[in-house]
Amino acid sequence: MPGSVANMPRQVRDELTRRLRRSKRAFREEDVQVVEGPLLKRAVGASALGNCMEWFDFGVYSYLAATIGKVFFPGASPAAQLISSFATFAAAFVVRPLGGLVFGPLGDRIGRQKVLATTMILMAIGTFSIGLIPSYASIGIAAPALLLLARMVQGFSTGGEYGGATTFVAEYSPDRRRGFLSSWLDFGTFVGYALGSALVTALNLMLSDGQMLSWGWRIPFLIAGPLGVIGLYMRLRLEESPAFQQQLDEHEKSLAQASVGSEFKTIVRKHWRPLLICMGLVLLYNVTNYMATGFLPTYQTETLGRSSGFADVLVLIGMLWIVLLITFLGRLSDHVGRRPVYGCAATAMIVLAVPAFLLLKADGTWAPVAGVLILATLLAGFAAPSAATLPALFPTAVRYAAMGIGFNFAVAAFGGTTPLFTEALVEITGNDLMPAYYLMAAGVVGLVTVRFLPESAQVPLNGSQPMVGSRQEQRELIITSKDLYRYSKERSGRR
């Protein structure tokens, strides 16, 4: 075996061999897509910054759940207020699949960039509207009804956001660095969460409880307006991904031009296995995500009786730790593979979930901080490879729509409901370790899913040309393809 071939990861060698046998020749210059550095940086940077703004909007609700319960459900008991607030939080996830069903096929037809600009402005409108809704004391039952409507606008827009953003960044990234570059998308997500947490923490420290209930809670939501305008401007300046452009240039659009109904039937019929894998990984990631970002602040204040300031600082520490870790773990997944990163993190969650929550419950400062850092490290292990792994499960022509189905149905069923279910379980059982058991169950599902996950590190995306980051890499891959083609022919001849 030639040295250039022997040094390839096995999954890359197998995929390139299949492509070379199909074309019956080595790669030529036109067979390998080069993504220019400045264009790549702008695409990844603008996508991550846009994602940061969008998830700042979406995450703020989590940090203000207890306050929102008092403003919009004042007649209920504290526990009922909290559950009602989380039920409204979960309602946004009920309409997320609808957003995925609408925006996914649009992204495969008219392009990723246009749809991402639309989801950006819809999210800003939904979030800004929450800041303007009068309290229950002012307009009665209409207040929670309007809150529910605004949350559903948020959920509808988010249904097209993550699947589209991951698709866009994955299609722009060179194969060797897709894990690292795609991890910047979730880097933006957690920076947005951290900014939302920091703002709510600052408001809780600066304002009295009465001021927060009266008007302070509105400030984070009202900031969404100008943020949405900035995000829209950035996304309108992006160019379409090379994979989508290639599909258009080659007129390989028979599936993309089919009716929405036939496209979904095709996805479910032909791609049911990757669809289930996608949903299993999304469950693993998002149960952990919404436990840490949506449930943990309220768990600290309402279940453990700690101050909102302490709870917010604790979650902020966790978010900042994820921000520090995530791109390193994304780069690691390019070298060791996506499966080992997922598998190690899922195993660690099964083992460490209960110890983490025991630390969170402990008195003092450092034990709860250690508990949060454990959960944050686990979450980073799931978040880092996701934006590179999930789009790689599907071909270009249906990637956005398939992601819209798999991602959003799993998030609606298991992610957004996590705060509601865990809070209800704690109330019903009186056991404040129920969140840890919930995480352990998600870890088991994750391990089973990883067993069936195909390794995609450094492998070209299904339906796309091999992607490289420079002309030098292009020349190297062409030379390597000649060695690989010659070697595969020799092996076939020996058989």
Side-chain angles (χ1 to χ4, degrees):
M1 183 182 293
S4 60
V5 175
N7 292 331
M8 275 185 173
R10 181 177 178 178
Q11 70 271 11
V12 180
R13 185 166 65 244
D14 291 347
E15 174 61 22
L16 294 185
T17 299
R18 281 193 291 270
R19 295 187 181 212
L20 294 171
R21 285 176 176 170
R22 192 165 58 241
S23 63
K24 298 181 180 179
R25 61 173 176 81
F27 291 143
R28 298 171 183 163
E29 196 170 290
E30 64 269 20
D31 297 321
V32 181
Q33 177 79 44
V34 180
V35 184
E36 301 297 338
L39 190 63
L40 175 62
K41 288 179 181 177
R42 193 171 76 205
V44 174
S47 298
L49 285 170
N51 215 44
C52 171
M53 294 173 185
E54 182 128 359
W55 288 96
F56 167 86
D57 292 355
F58 201 76
V60 158
Y61 190 100
S62 304
Y63 307 123
L64 290 168
T67 303
I68 287 171
K70 294 172 185 175
V71 172
F72 289 96
F73 309 98
S77 67
Q81 286 178 351
L82 198 54
I83 291 174
S84 298
S85 182
F86 279 140
T88 309
F89 178 83
F93 291 84
V94 174
V95 297
R96 276 187 69 156
L98 179 59
L101 294 176
V102 172
F103 290 122
L106 279 176
D108 287 329
R109 284 168 169 74
I110 67 174
R112 286 68 162 120
Q113 180 261 356
K114 295 182 181 68
V115 173
L116 286 173
T118 304
T119 61
M120 180 82 254
I121 196 64
L122 273 179
M123 172 60 80
I125 290 171
T127 310
F128 187 75
S129 299
I130 293 177
L132 299 177
I133 298 172
S135 66
Y136 185 94
S138 300
I139 61 172
I141 194 66
L146 289 173
L147 176 65
L148 179 63
L149 178 62
R151 285 291 297 165
M152 293 178 78
V153 171
Q154 283 187 317
F156 183 74
S157 69
T158 309
E161 169 61 25
Y162 189 81
T166 54
T167 294
F168 187 79
V169 173
E171 290 178 349
Y172 250 109
S173 301
D175 299 331
R176 293 181 184 176
R177 303 173 63 210
R178 185 168 293 115
F180 170 67
L181 292 170
S182 296
S183 68
W184 284 96
L185 188 67
D186 284 284
F187 174 92
T189 296
F190 288 103
V191 168
Y193 276 134
L195 289 174
S197 176
L199 179 56
V200 173
T201 301
L203 289 171
N204 279 325
L205 292 174
M206 291 187 300
L207 302 178
S208 66
D209 290 345
Q211 289 172 321
M212 279 296 293
L213 282 172
S214 177
W215 52 269
W217 67 271
R218 298 182 184 275
I219 294 174
F221 295 105
L222 296 177
I223 290 174
L227 285 182
V229 173
I230 295 169
L232 179 63
Y233 169 76
M234 294 174 62
R235 288 192 167 176
L236 287 175
R237 293 183 67 242
L238 293 173
E239 297 180 22
E240 272 301 344
S241 70
F244 185 77
Q245 288 288 359
Q246 177 192 341
Q247 176 183 287
L248 293 181
D249 294 342
E250 297 176 2
H251 303 289
E252 297 175 351
K253 302 189 295 177
S254 57
L255 181 57
Q257 289 176 338
S259 69
V260 172
S262 64
E263 181 176 359
F264 290 137
K265 288 178 184 176
T266 301
I267 290 170
V268 173
R269 187 176 70 252
K270 291 187 176 181
H271 305 287
W272 62 269
R273 187 183 295 273
L275 207 58
L276 289 177
I277 293 171
C278 174
M279 294 178 73
L281 294 178
V282 171
L283 181 154
L284 178 67
Y285 173 16
N286 278 272
V287 165
T288 315
N289 185 12
Y290 289 104
M291 186 73 75
T293 60
F295 177 72
L296 205 55
T298 307
Y299 177 77
Q300 291 283 310
T301 57
E302 303 303 313
T303 303
L304 302 182
R306 289 178 173 145
S307 69
S308 58
F310 180 85
D312 292 339
V313 169
L314 208 58
V315 173
L316 178 58
I317 290 171
M319 296 302 101
L320 293 175
W321 181 241
I322 294 172
V323 167
L324 290 174
L325 279 182
I326 195 165
T327 57
F328 291 101
L329 293 175
R331 190 191 297 273
L332 179 66
S333 77
D334 283 328
H335 294 288
V336 304
R338 321 290 190 226
R339 296 180 77 234
V341 174
Y342 274 122
C344 289
T347 303
M349 187 157 76
I350 295 170
V351 173
L352 296 176
V354 170
F357 270 83
L358 289 174
L359 287 168
L360 282 168
K361 290 173 56 182
D363 294 332
T365 300
W366 295 111
V369 167
V372 164
L373 291 179
I374 290 172
L375 292 179
T377 303
L378 297 174
L379 178 52
F382 305 138
S386 287
T389 304
L390 301 179
L393 293 168
F394 307 103
T396 302
V398 298
R399 185 169 293 127
Y400 203 147
M403 283 285 292
I405 296 172
F407 188 88
N408 289 299
F409 274 90
V411 172
F414 305 106
T417 57
T418 293
L420 176 63
F421 284 166
T422 47
E423 178 62 28
L425 286 171
V426 170
E427 283 295 316
I428 292 168
T429 64
N431 185 346
D432 52 17
L433 284 178
M434 289 305 297
Y437 303 143
Y438 201 80
L439 287 179
M440 291 174 68
V444 172
V445 173
L447 270 184
V448 173
T449 303
V450 171
R451 167 68 179 79
F452 298 98
L453 174 67
E455 184 55 73
S456 60
Q458 302 187 36
V459 177
L461 290 174
N462 189 355
S464 302
Q465 291 179 329
M467 300 274 287
V468 296
S470 67
R471 294 292 174 186
Q472 177 64 29
E473 286 185 29
Q474 183 188 47
R475 288 190 290 269
E476 290 173 358
L477 182 57
I478 290 171
I479 293 170
T480 301
S481 74
K482 293 176 181 177
D483 293 338
L484 182 58
Y485 184 58
R486 191 182 309 115
Y487 173 71
S488 65
K489 285 186 68 177
E490 290 173 356
R491 288 188 64 192
S492 298
R494 286 197 295 270
R495 289 176 188 153

